Amino acid sequence: MDWTGIFIHDTTWGFAAEVALRAAIMFSLIIIFLRFTGKRGVRQLSIFELTILLSLGSIAGDPMFTEDLPLIQAVIIMSVVIGMYRLCTWFMMKYEPFEYLLEGKSIYIVENGLLVLEKIKSGKMSHDEFFSEMRQQGVEHLGQVRVGLLETDGNFSLILYPLDDTRYGLPLFPKQYKRVNDVNPNYHYACMYCGNVDYIASPHALCPRCKHRARRWAKAINNEIVT
């Protein structure tokens, strides 16, 4: 196997230096764009902004190593994209429907300690995703959460119940989020699909709220959140 051909082929020292310079310029232009957005991290980027960022990465890629592709073409394209971004953000500030079109709306995932059925059925977010988000914010069960909102930038915002208003809810940690095989009529149980809390006579009882065919219940808990 010709290792020299794989790693070097016909690359000259002059062209290697040119590639390094092209890469540095393209990298700098992408950094400048990120500074234009005013965001501090990728997690803060909306879908619209992330799309533009990926487009800029594609634009910057070829000029980094294509010898017959002048940098001015990439600079012009990136300048137009950044200009369009600034124009779109101006329109979003002026016209709310335009903002919803490009960035979408915040989505209610939890309301009054229960998962929002419409969002679960439409697949807006999986159980594992929002359970993980809530666990990272110190939430142990849904009974601690009054409102859970999925923001347009991917962040998860929570409004918690006051400590003295904490209710029974579906546990979010794996050891407690387990299907029960036997039930005690004096205990609260939570539907593992929608979070509805109820007294049940059988571990295979149908949830009156979501009527999900899985019929899975976990023992509900009402621990207060630790602050």
Side-chain angles (χ1 to χ4, degrees), residues 20-224:
L21 179 61
R22 286 169 174 264
I25 293 173
M26 290 296 100
F27 178 80
S28 300
L29 289 175
I30 294 176
I31 293 297
I32 290 171
F33 165 74
L34 288 176
R35 295 297 297 166
F36 267 114
T37 66
K39 307 292 183 178
R40 298 184 62 85
V42 173
R43 186 63 185 267
Q44 296 176 321
L45 295 176
S46 66
I47 293 176
F48 166 61
E49 292 166 334
L50 186 59
T51 301
I52 291 179
L53 181 60
L54 293 174
S55 300
L56 289 177
S58 178
I59 294 167
D62 289 344
M64 288 183 181
F65 56 84
T66 305
E67 189 173 8
D68 58 351
L69 187 60
L71 289 180
I72 188 61
Q73 295 180 9
V75 172
I76 292 172
I77 295 173
M78 293 180 78
S79 299
V80 171
V81 171
I82 292 173
M84 292 296 295
Y85 166 76
R86 301 297 290 181
L87 182 62
C88 287
T89 53
W90 182 84
F91 271 108
M92 285 191 291
M93 292 175 60
K94 294 289 185 180
Y95 307 104
E96 193 173 82
F98 190 74
E99 180 180 8
Y100 290 154
L101 176 65
L102 292 183
E103 301 214 336
K105 295 182 179 181
S106 299
I107 300 172
Y108 282 87
I109 301 295
V110 180
E111 287 184 312
N112 300 318
L114 301 174
L115 300 175
V116 179
L117 289 176
E118 293 78 9
K119 302 302 181 292
I120 300 175
K121 292 176 180 178
S122 62
K124 294 293 184 181
M125 197 177 189
S126 71
H127 284 66
D128 288 343
E129 285 180 289
F130 52 71
F131 283 5
S132 174
E133 291 287 349
M134 286 187 278
R135 288 196 298 264
Q136 291 178 44
Q137 298 193 42
V139 176
E140 189 176 358
H141 61 90
L142 288 181
Q144 298 170 338
V145 183
R146 183 160 67 87
V147 176
L149 197 65
L150 177 63
E151 306 288 359
T152 57
D153 62 0
N155 285 311
F156 202 72
S157 300
L158 297 177
I159 299 177
L160 304 177
Y161 281 111
L163 294 181
D164 57 358
D165 199 22
T166 300
R167 54 201 62 191
Y168 280 91
L170 177 67
L172 305 179
F173 284 81
K175 285 187 177 181
Q176 297 167 309
Y177 182 76
K178 287 184 177 180
R179 181 176 185 173
V180 296
N181 295 315
D182 298 295
V183 299
N184 185 320
N186 298 317
Y187 288 165
H188 293 82
Y189 294 90
C191 173
M192 297 178 71
Y193 183 73
C194 73
N196 178 50
V197 176
D198 207 343
Y199 293 104
I200 57 175
S202 164
H204 306 293
L206 181 68
C207 175
R209 179 171 182 258
C210 68
K211 296 179 172 58
H212 194 265
R213 62 178 180 272
R215 305 188 182 202
R216 300 170 66 236
W217 296 84
K219 188 175 179 181
I221 57 177
N222 66 338
N223 302 347
E224 294 181 351

